[in-house]
Amino acid sequence: AEARLAQPGQTRTAAANGECCVEIVSPIAGTILSLNAKSEQAVSVGQMIAEVGDPSDLEITVDLLSADAVKVRPGSPVLITDWGGPEVLQARVERIEPSAFTKVSALGIAEQRVNAIIALTAPPPDDLGHGFRVIANLITWSSDAALQIPVSALYRDGGDWAVFRVENETARVTPVEIGHMTDRRAQILSGLSEGDQVILYPGDALQDGSLVGDRAAAE
């Protein structure tokens, strides 16, 4: 017996030689990305048989901590790196999904995460395909004239941020007000001026008035 499955209005027929007993018409034009059913496998109604898509129209899904997702806006620029090619790909945030989900981290901590959908601003390279791993760098804020220091220079002085500023080979405790911060750099709003020297990784033995020297100059 022969069977035929086609879209409404289609008049396709099964192969005359009997080699194909079921004909399935894809709802879209594209490339078969994966086959979810094997030959001669029994399938049920609604079961996914194959995944079809357009490799030239990729989108990227990034799961963010919910605390970070609220800082991201649709249209924010994104830099795509570590995808396998030498160049950095330009992209933008299309949307932030409205609901979060729980994901257990590598440390066993349950985290609330939200998917951000990212679209490339140019056609993807031919080498980049469906399901590939990439690193997405989301830019939530930028400035052309931000005074910044390494976060390793910051420490807590009571409830405020402070640094040890070098003045005449002497360490001086200097309270600072910080703005935006990453895991490497911090924006300084007040307390320091351009060109000021600060001490990185200040130890407990360092105090206001301690004599310090330039290690690079000493070598």
Side-chain angles (χ1 to χ4, degrees), residues 34-121:
S34 64
L35 289 174
N36 302 90
K38 300 179 180 179
S39 177
E40 300 182 1
Q41 173 185 337
V43 295
S44 58
V45 176
Q47 179 177 339
M48 180 182 292
I49 298 176
E51 190 174 3
V52 180
D54 183 1
S56 65
D57 187 21
L58 297 176
E59 68 177 18
I60 300 168
T61 301
V62 179
D63 61 278
L64 306 173
L65 289 171
S66 58
D68 294 332
V70 298
K71 305 173 186 176
V72 180
R73 296 289 182 269
S76 297
V78 183
L79 303 179
I80 304 300
T81 60
D82 297 313
W83 58 273
E87 67 268 28
V88 176
L89 305 180
Q90 304 292 324
R92 67 177 182 275
V93 177
E94 284 285 298
R95 66 183 185 276
I96 305 295
E97 293 189 346
S99 60
F101 57 92
T102 301
K103 182 177 181 179
V104 179
S105 70
L107 299 177
I109 301 174
E111 301 172 334
Q112 290 303 110
R113 291 190 169 263
V114 181
N115 281 334
I117 309 302
I118 297 170
L120 296 172
T121 57

Side-chain angles (χ1 to χ4, degrees), residues 92-175:
R92 67 177 182 275
V93 177
E94 284 285 298
R95 66 183 185 276
I96 305 295
E97 293 189 346
S99 60
F101 57 92
T102 301
K103 182 177 181 179
V104 179
S105 70
L107 299 177
I109 301 174
E111 301 172 334
Q112 290 303 110
R113 291 190 169 263
V114 181
N115 281 334
I117 309 302
I118 297 170
L120 296 172
T121 57
D126 294 336
D127 297 332
L128 187 61
H130 172 67
F132 283 30
R133 173 189 174 274
V134 301
I135 299 296
N137 303 274
L138 284 75
I139 301 174
T140 58
W141 178 85
S142 64
S143 173
D144 295 330
L147 181 63
Q148 54 183 315
I149 62 171
V151 295
S152 56
L154 293 167
Y155 74 96
R156 282 290 189 178
D157 185 13
D160 301 321
W161 289 106
V163 299
F164 279 100
R165 179 173 54 87
V166 178
E167 180 181 344
N168 298 325
E169 298 185 348
T170 303
R172 295 299 183 188
V173 174
T174 305

